[in-house]
Amino acid sequence: MLRVAVVGSGPSGVYTAQALVGQSAVPGIRVDVLDRLPCPYGLVRYGVAPDHEKIKSLQNNLRTVLEDERIAFLGDVEVGARGLTPARLLEMYHAVVYCVGAARDRRLGIPGEELRGSFSATEFVSWYSAHPDAVHDDFGLDRAGAVVVGAGNVAVDVTRLLVRRPEELRPTDIPQGALAALAHSAVREVHMVARRGPASARFTTKELRELGTLPDTEVLVDPAELALDPGYTDPDGLPAVTRRNLDVVRAWAERAADGPPPARSVRLRFFLRPVEILGEAGRVTAVRFERTEPDGQGRVRGTGRYEEIPAGLVLRAVGYQGVPLPGLPFDTDKGTVPHEAGRVLRDGTASPGEYVAGWIKRGPTGVIGTNRPCAKETVASLLADAPALARRRVAPDPLAVLHALGHEPVPWTGWLAIERAEAALGGTLGRGPVKIPDWAGLRGAARGGPVLDAPQRPGDGGPEGRVAGGRPIG
Ligand code: NAP
């Protein structure tokens, strides 16, 4: 018998669970997948943009894994809360694999970041993904200009969502409140701004190219900014993905303007680094950038020339950061847990029974599929250690310990009840499944007593979808 806890049910957690039951020669292996939220799938549910339905459909693969009889999903269980420390987990399981991702957004560290209208992309993504911890629902979409800082795939996601038309979003599971707000958005011009050149951008070509396919939206690129990049003018030797990106931006830069001006535009800007977010009466009005130039080492340096881009909304999409989990070692420079082939290192020595996989192991990089080999490596280490791990004495019933600590796990059937409630909520709105955006609603649905409070927003045209009290939906 080998009992393993996987903490986190995003792609890295689920791939870890899959590798554990798939590769283990231990006949009696049991894997509990714990998640802080009552819902599984991590960033596939709460990070992948709602209009990326194909990527979202990965949930079906993850579901198959979590329905394996050797795997149990235990939602609404927060490690670190109510005495459920890493040390306690080691008393309950032979091994624990932390797949907790990188939850925090990075800041720019410039004046004005605290102004109204300045947000992290994570806050915006949480809102349109109906994350129950989302705190903002007013992003100041009442001005025509918006600035997105960063040149990664998150920047591309939030830029795209800002210019998508409501009829394209309506068939998705975007929460009703976000759909209504975006439908009334005044944003018409989004500036996606990179501090380096196009050859150093981090977005992938498929995501970049998609910006050029959006209806009524033109992508604008200044050829003079491209020409500043030595990689653009001499792409030989660059990785294939970079050369493909350059081809895409080149085509946009060379395209002659024809026909009537489009309803919306996305301006890709390069070699501009943000130095201050400007505001009036506490509200963002513009972002001040310094023009940069390549320093010959792959980075950039300032030129002392400045430019202001007017904007009512600023989203910083400058990457995620790991968050330390009390009781687990943490490398603050890297934002990861120190490890060797997935074995957690305490003072440089592998800690028996403790492992990591995913972003908390290798940092917030790579696409979803990157987590598969990463999980496999960790599981190979764990299974190599299995004979020794199986000899560790652990509590006979982890569920009893969780209950004794005051945790009330949402089981897989609870998650299925949430799915049914979301389908019912969508039905009341004339849509497909629509996500429940708050803790009370999710917990109510999971525990069988979901209730829908359907306040009307001005001009909303339908129930907002908050589940708080009122009439049953399921
Ligand atoms: P990312 O790929 O690391 O990109 C971060 C961007 O922010 C870079 O362009 C970086 O520029 C810039 N940046 C960092 N600090 C800055 C500063 N102080 N000022 C200005 N710019 C700054 O991060 P991400 O976009 O958050 O994505 C995280 C991961 O999730 C990536 O692996 C991404 O591919 C993945 N993801 C994938 C998808 C998809 O496949 N559809 C969707 C979303 C996310 P420098 O390069 O100059 O540092």
Side-chain angles (χ1 to χ4, degrees):
M1 182 75 176
L2 189 71
R3 210 186 298 132
V4 183
V6 171
V7 183
S9 66
S12 64
V14 177
Y15 290 145
T16 297
Q18 183 178 36
L20 278 167
V21 297
Q23 291 175 26
S24 173
V26 182
I29 191 159
R30 291 286 177 275
V31 182
D32 285 353
V33 179
L34 279 50
D35 203 293
R36 195 172 79 76
L37 297 174
C39 313
Y41 311 139
L43 279 181
V44 177
R45 179 173 160 93
Y46 288 116
V48 172
D51 60 336
H52 273 178
E53 276 140 343
K54 196 159 167 225
I55 308 181
K56 280 223 171 279
S57 70
L58 256 174
Q59 291 186 12
N60 297 330
N61 304 8
L62 304 182
R63 163 194 293 270
T64 309
V65 176
L66 291 176
E67 287 186 335
D68 187 296
E69 58 183 13
R70 294 162 294 178
I71 297 175
F73 172 72
L74 300 175
D76 206 355
V77 176
E78 183 174 0
V79 173
R82 298 173 193 256
L84 190 61
T85 59
R88 182 63 66 100
L89 277 172
L90 273 182
E91 294 166 10
M92 299 157 60
Y93 295 93
H94 296 108
V96 186
V97 190
Y98 293 91
C99 304
V100 293
R104 190 177 296 154
D105 49 82
R106 297 178 57 221
R107 294 186 71 84
L108 294 170
I110 60 172
E113 237 175 328
E114 72 298 337
L115 287 169
R116 236 173 337 114
S118 158
F119 299 94
S120 71
T122 317
E123 289 169 308
F124 191 63
V125 171
S126 291
W127 170 67
Y128 69 58
S129 302
H131 194 294
D133 285 343
V135 285
H136 299 284
D137 63 3
D138 180 4
F139 284 86
L141 302 173
D142 56 340
R143 312 270 167 96
V147 162
V148 175
V149 179
N153 279 333
V154 171
V156 175
D157 274 350
V158 298
T159 297
R160 195 181 64 253
L161 264 286
L162 280 170
V163 292
R164 271 259 188 246
R165 293 176 313 177
E167 56 269 32
E168 297 173 278
L169 293 172
R170 196 175 158 76
T172 74
D173 64 0
I174 191 169
Q176 190 70 1
L179 178 65
L182 288 168
H184 293 101
S185 165
V187 173
R188 293 293 176 267
E189 188 172 44
V190 183
H191 304 255
M192 193 173 112
V193 188
R195 61 182 171 182
R196 297 196 284 162
S200 311
R202 309 242 187 132
F203 35 63
T204 42
T205 314
K206 187 165 155 278
E207 279 62 31
L208 178 66
R209 198 176 276 139
E210 191 182 2
L211 289 176
T213 67
L214 303 176
D216 303 335
T217 303
E218 191 169 23
V219 184
L220 301 160
V221 182
D222 180 353
E225 285 188 338
L226 299 183
L228 293 171
D229 192 336
Y232 178 76
T233 44
D234 181 16
D236 284 353
L238 292 176
V241 58
T242 308
R243 275 186 279 127
R244 282 196 298 269
N245 283 349
L246 295 180
D247 288 343
V248 175
V249 291
R250 179 174 287 113
W252 284 330
E254 288 173 355
R255 189 186 40 205
D258 56 354
R264 298 175 173 84
S265 58
V266 170
R267 280 184 191 272
L268 297 191
R269 302 295 312 272
F270 296 98
F271 293 108
L272 290 173
R273 77 170 166 218
V275 291
E276 184 173 359
I277 299 176
L278 307 170
E280 269 172 35
R283 167 87 197 262
V284 168
T285 53
V287 186
R288 187 167 149 85
F289 290 92
E290 182 178 17
R291 167 68 65 199
T292 62
E293 63 185 13
D295 68 356
Q297 314 290 316
R299 306 300 310 172
V300 286
R301 60 177 163 244
T303 60
R305 284 180 285 124
Y306 296 88
E307 172 175 339
E308 284 175 21
I309 300 180
L313 168 68
V314 180
L315 296 176
R316 55 176 190 278
V318 294
Y320 292 92
Q321 221 175 4
V323 179
L325 182 62
L328 260 199
F330 192 72
D331 181 332
T332 40
D333 290 340
K334 293 185 181 150
T336 54
V337 170
H339 74 96
E340 196 171 79
R343 293 181 179 92
V344 171
L345 298 177
R346 290 186 181 270
D347 299 323
T349 307
S351 168
E354 293 186 303
Y355 302 85
V356 277
W359 278 3
I360 198 64
K361 170 185 172 187
R362 58 172 212 278
T365 58
V367 293
I368 293 171
T370 317
N371 291 297
R372 214 182 255 281
C374 175
K376 279 188 177 163
E377 181 196 53
T378 295
V379 168
S381 298
L382 191 158
L383 293 178
D385 303 341
L389 296 174
R391 287 196 289 276
R392 292 186 52 244
R393 287 173 68 86
V394 294
D397 181 3
L399 216 48
V401 180
L402 287 176
H403 284 138
L405 290 172
H407 292 272
E408 286 181 53
V410 167
W412 186 250
T413 49
W415 158 243
L416 295 180
I418 291 174
E419 279 192 318
R420 285 196 300 277
E422 293 190 335
L425 172 59
T428 67
L429 298 162
R431 298 176 53 196
V434 169
K435 281 178 171 170
I436 296 171
D438 66 320
W439 279 98
L442 291 169
R443 285 182 172 142
R447 304 214 156 92
V451 280
L452 172 65
D453 190 15
Q456 291 284 131
R457 275 196 167 189
D460 186 353
E464 195 206 3
R466 288 210 172 264
V467 180
R471 68 194 159 85
I473 57 167

mmCIF file of all heavy atoms in Angstrom, residues 285-326:
data_model
loop_
_atom_site.group_PDB
_atom_site.id
_atom_site.type_symbol
_atom_site.label_atom_id
_atom_site.label_comp_id
_atom_site.label_asym_id
_atom_site.label_seq_id
_atom_site.Cartn_x
_atom_site.Cartn_y
_atom_site.Cartn_z
ATOM 1 N N THR A 285 -4.746 57.715 -16.333
ATOM 2 C CA THR A 285 -5.048 58.449 -17.576
ATOM 3 C C THR A 285 -4.071 58.093 -18.707
ATOM 4 O O THR A 285 -4.379 58.284 -19.875
ATOM 5 C CB THR A 285 -4.957 59.979 -17.366
ATOM 6 O OG1 THR A 285 -3.674 60.274 -16.799
ATOM 7 C CG2 THR A 285 -6.063 60.478 -16.457
ATOM 8 N N ALA A 286 -2.881 57.606 -18.322
ATOM 9 C CA ALA A 286 -1.868 57.321 -19.355
ATOM 10 C C ALA A 286 -0.730 56.516 -18.731
ATOM 11 O O ALA A 286 -0.634 56.401 -17.510
ATOM 12 C CB ALA A 286 -1.313 58.624 -19.921
ATOM 13 N N VAL A 287 0.102 55.959 -19.587
ATOM 14 C CA VAL A 287 1.327 55.313 -19.101
ATOM 15 C C VAL A 287 2.503 56.001 -19.787
ATOM 16 O O VAL A 287 2.467 56.263 -20.998
ATOM 17 C CB VAL A 287 1.361 53.803 -19.420
ATOM 18 C CG1 VAL A 287 2.587 53.150 -18.771
ATOM 19 C CG2 VAL A 287 0.095 53.114 -18.959
ATOM 20 N N ARG A 288 3.500 56.314 -18.969
ATOM 21 C CA ARG A 288 4.705 56.946 -19.509
ATOM 22 C C ARG A 288 5.752 55.853 -19.702
ATOM 23 O O ARG A 288 6.035 55.071 -18.780
ATOM 24 C CB ARG A 288 5.192 57.976 -18.491
ATOM 25 C CG ARG A 288 6.323 58.831 -18.926
ATOM 26 C CD ARG A 288 6.416 59.970 -17.891
ATOM 27 N NE ARG A 288 7.771 60.447 -17.712
ATOM 28 C CZ ARG A 288 8.344 61.360 -18.464
ATOM 29 N NH1 ARG A 288 7.683 61.877 -19.486
ATOM 30 N NH2 ARG A 288 9.564 61.761 -18.229
ATOM 31 N N PHE A 289 6.285 55.795 -20.910
ATOM 32 C CA PHE A 289 7.283 54.776 -21.258
ATOM 33 C C PHE A 289 8.604 55.454 -21.623
ATOM 34 O O PHE A 289 8.605 56.558 -22.177
ATOM 35 C CB PHE A 289 6.829 53.970 -22.478
ATOM 36 C CG PHE A 289 5.657 53.058 -22.207
ATOM 37 C CD1 PHE A 289 4.357 53.500 -22.414
ATOM 38 C CD2 PHE A 289 5.852 51.763 -21.753
ATOM 39 C CE1 PHE A 289 3.266 52.668 -22.183
ATOM 40 C CE2 PHE A 289 4.774 50.922 -21.521
ATOM 41 C CZ PHE A 289 3.487 51.379 -21.735
ATOM 42 N N GLU A 290 9.680 54.765 -21.364
ATOM 43 C CA GLU A 290 10.980 55.206 -21.875
ATOM 44 C C GLU A 290 11.327 54.347 -23.091
ATOM 45 O O GLU A 290 11.208 53.113 -23.045
ATOM 46 C CB GLU A 290 12.083 55.046 -20.817
ATOM 47 C CG GLU A 290 13.433 55.548 -21.340
ATOM 48 C CD GLU A 290 14.543 55.447 -20.301
ATOM 49 O OE1 GLU A 290 14.386 54.725 -19.300
ATOM 50 O OE2 GLU A 290 15.596 56.100 -20.515
ATOM 51 N N ARG A 291 11.737 54.998 -24.149
ATOM 52 C CA ARG A 291 12.205 54.259 -25.336
ATOM 53 C C ARG A 291 13.479 53.505 -24.965
ATOM 54 O O ARG A 291 14.360 54.051 -24.304
ATOM 55 C CB ARG A 291 12.450 55.264 -26.468
ATOM 56 C CG ARG A 291 13.201 54.750 -27.661
ATOM 57 C CD ARG A 291 12.423 53.734 -28.464
ATOM 58 N NE ARG A 291 11.235 54.269 -29.091
ATOM 59 C CZ ARG A 291 10.229 53.483 -29.524
ATOM 60 N NH1 ARG A 291 10.274 52.179 -29.368
ATOM 61 N NH2 ARG A 291 9.173 54.017 -30.101
ATOM 62 N N THR A 292 13.553 52.235 -25.327
ATOM 63 C CA THR A 292 14.754 51.453 -25.036
ATOM 64 C C THR A 292 15.462 51.103 -26.346
ATOM 65 O O THR A 292 14.919 51.307 -27.430
ATOM 66 C CB THR A 292 14.409 50.150 -24.292
ATOM 67 O OG1 THR A 292 13.576 49.363 -25.140
ATOM 68 C CG2 THR A 292 13.721 50.417 -22.968
ATOM 69 N N GLU A 293 16.658 50.553 -26.197
ATOM 70 C CA GLU A 293 17.389 50.069 -27.368
ATOM 71 C C GLU A 293 18.175 48.832 -26.943
ATOM 72 O O GLU A 293 18.487 48.666 -25.751
ATOM 73 C CB GLU A 293 18.328 51.156 -27.916
ATOM 74 C CG GLU A 293 19.411 51.550 -26.917
ATOM 75 C CD GLU A 293 20.266 52.707 -27.414
ATOM 76 O OE1 GLU A 293 19.896 53.362 -28.399
ATOM 77 O OE2 GLU A 293 21.325 52.941 -26.794
ATOM 78 N N PRO A 294 18.479 47.941 -27.881
ATOM 79 C CA PRO A 294 19.208 46.723 -27.519
ATOM 80 C C PRO A 294 20.567 47.072 -26.928
ATOM 81 O O PRO A 294 21.223 48.019 -27.373
ATOM 82 C CB PRO A 294 19.370 45.993 -28.861
ATOM 83 C CG PRO A 294 18.403 46.622 -29.791
ATOM 84 C CD PRO A 294 18.173 48.014 -29.324
ATOM 85 N N ASP A 295 20.991 46.309 -25.891
ATOM 86 C CA ASP A 295 22.300 46.593 -25.284
ATOM 87 C C ASP A 295 23.379 45.643 -25.810
ATOM 88 O O ASP A 295 24.508 45.655 -25.330
ATOM 89 C CB ASP A 295 22.214 46.517 -23.755
ATOM 90 C CG ASP A 295 21.968 45.097 -23.259
ATOM 91 O OD1 ASP A 295 21.783 44.181 -24.112
ATOM 92 O OD2 ASP A 295 21.972 44.884 -22.043
ATOM 93 N N GLY A 296 23.007 44.816 -26.795
ATOM 94 C CA GLY A 296 23.983 43.894 -27.382
ATOM 95 C C GLY A 296 24.131 42.606 -26.602
ATOM 96 O O GLY A 296 24.797 41.670 -27.045
ATOM 97 N N GLN A 297 23.516 42.540 -25.409
ATOM 98 C CA GLN A 297 23.596 41.332 -24.575
ATOM 99 C C GLN A 297 22.240 40.619 -24.512
ATOM 100 O O GLN A 297 22.024 39.783 -23.635
ATOM 101 C CB GLN A 297 23.989 41.682 -23.117
ATOM 102 C CG GLN A 297 25.132 42.652 -22.956
ATOM 103 C CD GLN A 297 26.436 42.016 -23.365
ATOM 104 O OE1 GLN A 297 26.708 40.871 -23.018
ATOM 105 N NE2 GLN A 297 27.227 42.733 -24.143
ATOM 106 N N GLY A 298 21.308 41.015 -25.364
ATOM 107 C CA GLY A 298 19.988 40.399 -25.329
ATOM 108 C C GLY A 298 19.022 41.165 -24.436
ATOM 109 O O GLY A 298 17.837 40.866 -24.395
ATOM 110 N N ARG A 299 19.516 42.162 -23.696
ATOM 111 C CA ARG A 299 18.624 42.978 -22.875
ATOM 112 C C ARG A 299 18.493 44.344 -23.551
ATOM 113 O O ARG A 299 18.901 44.513 -24.712
ATOM 114 C CB ARG A 299 19.175 43.143 -21.442
ATOM 115 C CG ARG A 299 19.518 41.869 -20.704
ATOM 116 C CD ARG A 299 18.362 40.907 -20.491
ATOM 117 N NE ARG A 299 17.151 41.502 -19.938
ATOM 118 C CZ ARG A 299 15.993 40.842 -19.826
ATOM 119 N NH1 ARG A 299 15.897 39.586 -20.255
ATOM 120 N NH2 ARG A 299 14.932 41.422 -19.309
ATOM 121 N N VAL A 300 17.956 45.301 -22.814
ATOM 122 C CA VAL A 300 17.808 46.646 -23.376
ATOM 123 C C VAL A 300 18.309 47.682 -22.375
ATOM 124 O O VAL A 300 18.437 47.394 -21.191
ATOM 125 C CB VAL A 300 16.321 46.956 -23.713
ATOM 126 C CG1 VAL A 300 15.870 46.225 -24.951
ATOM 127 C CG2 VAL A 300 15.402 46.645 -22.529
ATOM 128 N N ARG A 301 18.590 48.880 -22.884
ATOM 129 C CA ARG A 301 18.921 49.996 -21.994
ATOM 130 C C ARG A 301 18.055 51.196 -22.394
ATOM 131 O O ARG A 301 17.583 51.281 -23.532
ATOM 132 C CB ARG A 301 20.415 50.340 -22.080
ATOM 133 C CG ARG A 301 20.849 50.730 -23.456
ATOM 134 C CD ARG A 301 22.316 51.139 -23.531
ATOM 135 N NE ARG A 301 22.724 51.112 -24.924
ATOM 136 C CZ ARG A 301 23.650 50.300 -25.440
ATOM 137 N NH1 ARG A 301 24.319 49.464 -24.660
ATOM 138 N NH2 ARG A 301 23.927 50.324 -26.733
ATOM 139 N N GLY A 302 17.894 52.104 -21.434
ATOM 140 C CA GLY A 302 17.072 53.287 -21.683
ATOM 141 C C GLY A 302 17.793 54.266 -22.581
ATOM 142 O O GLY A 302 19.030 54.276 -22.662
ATOM 143 N N THR A 303 17.008 55.101 -23.266
ATOM 144 C CA THR A 303 17.611 56.082 -24.162
ATOM 145 C C THR A 303 17.392 57.502 -23.658
ATOM 146 O O THR A 303 17.886 58.457 -24.270
ATOM 147 C CB THR A 303 16.988 55.984 -25.566
ATOM 148 O OG1 THR A 303 15.590 56.247 -25.438
ATOM 149 C CG2 THR A 303 17.218 54.629 -26.192
ATOM 150 N N GLY A 304 16.581 57.657 -22.590
ATOM 151 C CA GLY A 304 16.297 58.994 -22.096
ATOM 152 C C GLY A 304 15.221 59.709 -22.907
ATOM 153 O O GLY A 304 14.944 60.875 -22.671
ATOM 154 N N ARG A 305 14.617 58.965 -23.845
ATOM 155 C CA ARG A 305 13.494 59.556 -24.597
ATOM 156 C C ARG A 305 12.196 58.899 -24.098
ATOM 157 O O ARG A 305 12.198 57.693 -23.819
ATOM 158 C CB ARG A 305 13.663 59.303 -26.092
ATOM 159 C CG ARG A 305 14.718 60.226 -26.703
ATOM 160 C CD ARG A 305 14.902 59.997 -28.181
ATOM 161 N NE ARG A 305 15.654 58.777 -28.441
ATOM 162 C CZ ARG A 305 15.239 57.776 -29.204
ATOM 163 N NH1 ARG A 305 14.056 57.819 -29.774
ATOM 164 N NH2 ARG A 305 15.987 56.709 -29.384
ATOM 165 N N TYR A 306 11.149 59.690 -23.990
ATOM 166 C CA TYR A 306 9.923 59.210 -23.346
ATOM 167 C C TYR A 306 8.708 59.365 -24.245
ATOM 168 O O TYR A 306 8.714 60.189 -25.149
ATOM 169 C CB TYR A 306 9.704 59.954 -22.021
ATOM 170 C CG TYR A 306 10.807 59.645 -21.030
ATOM 171 C CD1 TYR A 306 11.972 60.414 -21.023
ATOM 172 C CD2 TYR A 306 10.702 58.585 -20.155
ATOM 173 C CE1 TYR A 306 13.006 60.123 -20.145
ATOM 174 C CE2 TYR A 306 11.730 58.287 -19.277
ATOM 175 C CZ TYR A 306 12.877 59.063 -19.275
ATOM 176 O OH TYR A 306 13.896 58.752 -18.424
ATOM 177 N N GLU A 307 7.698 58.561 -23.949
ATOM 178 C CA GLU A 307 6.454 58.639 -24.721
ATOM 179 C C GLU A 307 5.303 58.325 -23.775
ATOM 180 O O GLU A 307 5.440 57.440 -22.919
ATOM 181 C CB GLU A 307 6.505 57.585 -25.851
ATOM 182 C CG GLU A 307 5.203 57.448 -26.594
ATOM 183 C CD GLU A 307 5.280 56.504 -27.797
ATOM 184 O OE1 GLU A 307 6.395 56.246 -28.314
ATOM 185 O OE2 GLU A 307 4.205 56.016 -28.199
ATOM 186 N N GLU A 308 4.192 58.998 -23.926
ATOM 187 C CA GLU A 308 3.016 58.697 -23.097
ATOM 188 C C GLU A 308 1.925 58.103 -23.967
ATOM 189 O O GLU A 308 1.653 58.594 -25.057
ATOM 190 C CB GLU A 308 2.491 59.967 -22.429
ATOM 191 C CG GLU A 308 3.343 60.399 -21.260
ATOM 192 C CD GLU A 308 2.906 61.727 -20.665
ATOM 193 O OE1 GLU A 308 1.745 62.135 -20.878
ATOM 194 O OE2 GLU A 308 3.745 62.358 -19.993
ATOM 195 N N ILE A 309 1.322 57.035 -23.470
ATOM 196 C CA ILE A 309 0.194 56.432 -24.188
ATOM 197 C C ILE A 309 -1.055 56.609 -23.312
ATOM 198 O O ILE A 309 -1.104 56.096 -22.193
ATOM 199 C CB ILE A 309 0.447 54.932 -24.472
ATOM 200 C CG1 ILE A 309 1.712 54.759 -25.325
ATOM 201 C CG2 ILE A 309 -0.769 54.313 -25.150
ATOM 202 C CD1 ILE A 309 2.040 53.313 -25.664
ATOM 203 N N PRO A 310 -2.058 57.338 -23.807
ATOM 204 C CA PRO A 310 -3.272 57.543 -23.015
ATOM 205 C C PRO A 310 -4.017 56.217 -22.804
ATOM 206 O O PRO A 310 -4.076 55.382 -23.717
ATOM 207 C CB PRO A 310 -4.122 58.485 -23.885
ATOM 208 C CG PRO A 310 -3.201 59.014 -24.915
ATOM 209 C CD PRO A 310 -2.119 58.013 -25.110
ATOM 210 N N ALA A 311 -4.546 56.037 -21.608
ATOM 211 C CA ALA A 311 -5.264 54.786 -21.314
ATOM 212 C C ALA A 311 -6.113 54.972 -20.060
ATOM 213 O O ALA A 311 -5.694 55.638 -19.118
ATOM 214 C CB ALA A 311 -4.273 53.649 -21.084
ATOM 215 N N GLY A 312 -7.283 54.367 -20.068
ATOM 216 C CA GLY A 312 -8.109 54.346 -18.859
ATOM 217 C C GLY A 312 -7.918 53.063 -18.090
ATOM 218 O O GLY A 312 -8.378 52.927 -16.954
ATOM 219 N N LEU A 313 -7.246 52.099 -18.713
ATOM 220 C CA LEU A 313 -7.019 50.789 -18.088
ATOM 221 C C LEU A 313 -5.593 50.350 -18.399
ATOM 222 O O LEU A 313 -5.144 50.451 -19.546
ATOM 223 C CB LEU A 313 -8.012 49.762 -18.673
ATOM 224 C CG LEU A 313 -7.763 48.288 -18.355
ATOM 225 C CD1 LEU A 313 -7.994 48.001 -16.867
ATOM 226 C CD2 LEU A 313 -8.687 47.387 -19.189
ATOM 227 N N VAL A 314 -4.907 49.882 -17.373
ATOM 228 C CA VAL A 314 -3.559 49.336 -17.565
ATOM 229 C C VAL A 314 -3.527 47.951 -16.944
ATOM 230 O O VAL A 314 -3.868 47.783 -15.770
ATOM 231 C CB VAL A 314 -2.486 50.213 -16.867
ATOM 232 C CG1 VAL A 314 -1.097 49.615 -17.082
ATOM 233 C CG2 VAL A 314 -2.537 51.631 -17.384
ATOM 234 N N LEU A 315 -3.159 46.980 -17.753
ATOM 235 C CA LEU A 315 -3.020 45.612 -17.227
ATOM 236 C C LEU A 315 -1.555 45.227 -17.345
ATOM 237 O O LEU A 315 -0.986 45.279 -18.439
ATOM 238 C CB LEU A 315 -3.882 44.631 -18.034
ATOM 239 C CG LEU A 315 -5.400 44.843 -17.977
ATOM 240 C CD1 LEU A 315 -6.105 43.851 -18.902
ATOM 241 C CD2 LEU A 315 -5.924 44.689 -16.556
ATOM 242 N N ARG A 316 -0.960 44.829 -16.229
ATOM 243 C CA ARG A 316 0.432 44.363 -16.318
ATOM 244 C C ARG A 316 0.403 42.833 -16.442
ATOM 245 O O ARG A 316 -0.141 42.134 -15.589
ATOM 246 C CB ARG A 316 1.254 44.825 -15.124
ATOM 247 C CG ARG A 316 0.700 44.443 -13.783
ATOM 248 C CD ARG A 316 1.606 44.853 -12.623
ATOM 249 N NE ARG A 316 1.131 44.257 -11.400
ATOM 250 C CZ ARG A 316 0.139 44.741 -10.653
ATOM 251 N NH1 ARG A 316 -0.481 45.858 -11.007
ATOM 252 N NH2 ARG A 316 -0.239 44.110 -9.556
ATOM 253 N N ALA A 317 0.970 42.368 -17.550
ATOM 254 C CA ALA A 317 1.011 40.915 -17.803
ATOM 255 C C ALA A 317 2.481 40.527 -17.857
ATOM 256 O O ALA A 317 3.018 40.188 -18.902
ATOM 257 C CB ALA A 317 0.297 40.591 -19.107
ATOM 258 N N VAL A 318 3.140 40.662 -16.696
ATOM 259 C CA VAL A 318 4.601 40.514 -16.664
ATOM 260 C C VAL A 318 5.030 39.256 -15.922
ATOM 261 O O VAL A 318 6.133 39.183 -15.403
ATOM 262 C CB VAL A 318 5.266 41.780 -16.064
ATOM 263 C CG1 VAL A 318 5.038 42.968 -16.976
ATOM 264 C CG2 VAL A 318 4.757 42.104 -14.660
ATOM 265 N N GLY A 319 4.170 38.265 -15.917
ATOM 266 C CA GLY A 319 4.561 36.964 -15.381
ATOM 267 C C GLY A 319 4.008 36.693 -13.994
ATOM 268 O O GLY A 319 3.525 37.585 -13.303
ATOM 269 N N TYR A 320 4.049 35.417 -13.647
ATOM 270 C CA TYR A 320 3.578 34.952 -12.345
ATOM 271 C C TYR A 320 4.782 34.734 -11.428
ATOM 272 O O TYR A 320 5.929 34.730 -11.854
ATOM 273 C CB TYR A 320 2.850 33.615 -12.482
ATOM 274 C CG TYR A 320 1.547 33.654 -13.216
ATOM 275 C CD1 TYR A 320 1.490 33.432 -14.588
ATOM 276 C CD2 TYR A 320 0.352 33.858 -12.545
ATOM 277 C CE1 TYR A 320 0.274 33.424 -15.272
ATOM 278 C CE2 TYR A 320 -0.868 33.853 -13.220
ATOM 279 C CZ TYR A 320 -0.900 33.633 -14.575
ATOM 280 O OH TYR A 320 -2.093 33.630 -15.242
ATOM 281 N N GLN A 321 4.473 34.461 -10.165
ATOM 282 C CA GLN A 321 5.504 34.247 -9.159
ATOM 283 C C GLN A 321 5.019 33.172 -8.192
ATOM 284 O O GLN A 321 3.848 33.198 -7.794
ATOM 285 C CB GLN A 321 5.649 35.544 -8.367
ATOM 286 C CG GLN A 321 7.038 35.927 -8.050
ATOM 287 C CD GLN A 321 7.072 37.294 -7.375
ATOM 288 O OE1 GLN A 321 6.045 37.889 -7.093
ATOM 289 N NE2 GLN A 321 8.252 37.760 -7.103
ATOM 290 N N GLY A 322 5.890 32.270 -7.812
ATOM 291 C CA GLY A 322 5.524 31.267 -6.806
ATOM 292 C C GLY A 322 5.339 31.919 -5.446
ATOM 293 O O GLY A 322 5.925 32.957 -5.154
ATOM 294 N N VAL A 323 4.493 31.308 -4.624
ATOM 295 C CA VAL A 323 4.233 31.824 -3.274
ATOM 296 C C VAL A 323 4.726 30.773 -2.277
ATOM 297 O O VAL A 323 4.418 29.594 -2.433
ATOM 298 C CB VAL A 323 2.711 32.051 -3.083
ATOM 299 C CG1 VAL A 323 2.416 32.569 -1.682
ATOM 300 C CG2 VAL A 323 2.181 33.012 -4.132
ATOM 301 N N PRO A 324 5.485 31.207 -1.244
ATOM 302 C CA PRO A 324 5.962 30.202 -0.282
ATOM 303 C C PRO A 324 4.810 29.564 0.485
ATOM 304 O O PRO A 324 3.833 30.229 0.803
ATOM 305 C CB PRO A 324 6.860 31.001 0.670
ATOM 306 C CG PRO A 324 6.704 32.430 0.322
ATOM 307 C CD PRO A 324 5.950 32.555 -0.944
ATOM 308 N N LEU A 325 4.920 28.284 0.726
ATOM 309 C CA LEU A 325 3.920 27.576 1.538
ATOM 310 C C LEU A 325 4.560 27.343 2.909
ATOM 311 O O LEU A 325 5.605 26.677 2.991
ATOM 312 C CB LEU A 325 3.582 26.241 0.859
ATOM 313 C CG LEU A 325 2.520 25.384 1.519
ATOM 314 C CD1 LEU A 325 1.182 26.098 1.556
ATOM 315 C CD2 LEU A 325 2.362 24.066 0.749
ATOM 316 N N PRO A 326 3.996 27.935 3.974
ATOM 317 C CA PRO A 326 4.620 27.785 5.285
ATOM 318 C C PRO A 326 4.893 26.313 5.598
ATOM 319 O O PRO A 326 4.023 25.458 5.410
ATOM 320 C CB PRO A 326 3.575 28.366 6.247
ATOM 321 C CG PRO A 326 2.800 29.335 5.401
ATOM 322 C CD PRO A 326 2.766 28.739 4.030
#
